[in-house]
């Protein structure tokens, strides 16, 4: 039986190797499965992506990461707004603050004329 010895391969213990076409088909199916899984993860990530509270557009990756890192709003930081809406909100807040300061400066006599000013004289 010398012919049998010639057919023995080192990987014969793992069974016969599948034909090349079958290996290619298995490899393509595996790559397709990986592609579908990556696509599914991408869809799920986009579904979790928050939208701007002002205009409704989806936040960018950088804005999303910054909002997750610093979720507490401040005077110049609004984590639920996109960059454009945040700029408008900050400008509106600073303009309102400036108008408030101007009103206080224009009416200095009214502040001095209260009950306590009568006690000073």
């Amino acid at each position: 039986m010398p012919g049998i010895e010639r057919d023995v391969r080192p990987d014969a213990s793992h069974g016969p190797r599948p034909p090349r076409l079958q290996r290619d088909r298995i490899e393509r199916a595996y790559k397709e499965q990986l592609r579908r899984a990556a696509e599914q993860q991408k869809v799920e990530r986009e579904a979790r992506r928050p939208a701007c509270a002002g205009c409704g557009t989806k936040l960018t990756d950088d804005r999303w990461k910054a909002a997750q890192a610093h979720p507490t709003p401040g005077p110049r930081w609004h984590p639920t707004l996109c960059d454009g809406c945040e700029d408008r909100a900050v400008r509106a807040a600073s303009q309102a603050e400036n108008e408030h300061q101007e009103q206080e400066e224009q009416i200095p006599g009214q502040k001095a004329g209260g009950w306590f000013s009568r006690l000073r004289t």
Side-chain angles (χ1 to χ4, degrees), residues 40-91:
Q40 181 65 28
Q41 287 176 347
K42 188 184 233 183
V43 167
E44 290 172 359
R45 177 175 162 77
E46 286 302 314
R48 286 190 317 266
R49 183 183 297 272
C52 174
C55 63
T57 60
K58 296 282 188 171
L59 297 181
T60 62
D61 285 339
D62 293 337
R63 184 70 181 188
W64 189 10
K65 287 177 187 175
Q68 288 175 334
H70 306 285
T72 307
R76 301 211 181 271
W77 171 244
H78 303 276
T80 59
L81 298 177
C82 66
D83 291 330
C85 291
E86 181 182 40
D87 290 341
R88 287 189 289 278
V90 168
R91 273 189 263 125

Side-chain angles (χ1 to χ4, degrees), residues 27-44:
E27 186 176 323
R28 281 193 307 269
Y30 178 70
K31 286 181 180 179
E32 179 64 20
Q33 183 181 11
L34 290 177
R35 187 193 64 76
R36 284 185 193 150
E39 185 67 27
Q40 181 65 28
Q41 287 176 347
K42 188 184 233 183
V43 167
E44 290 172 359

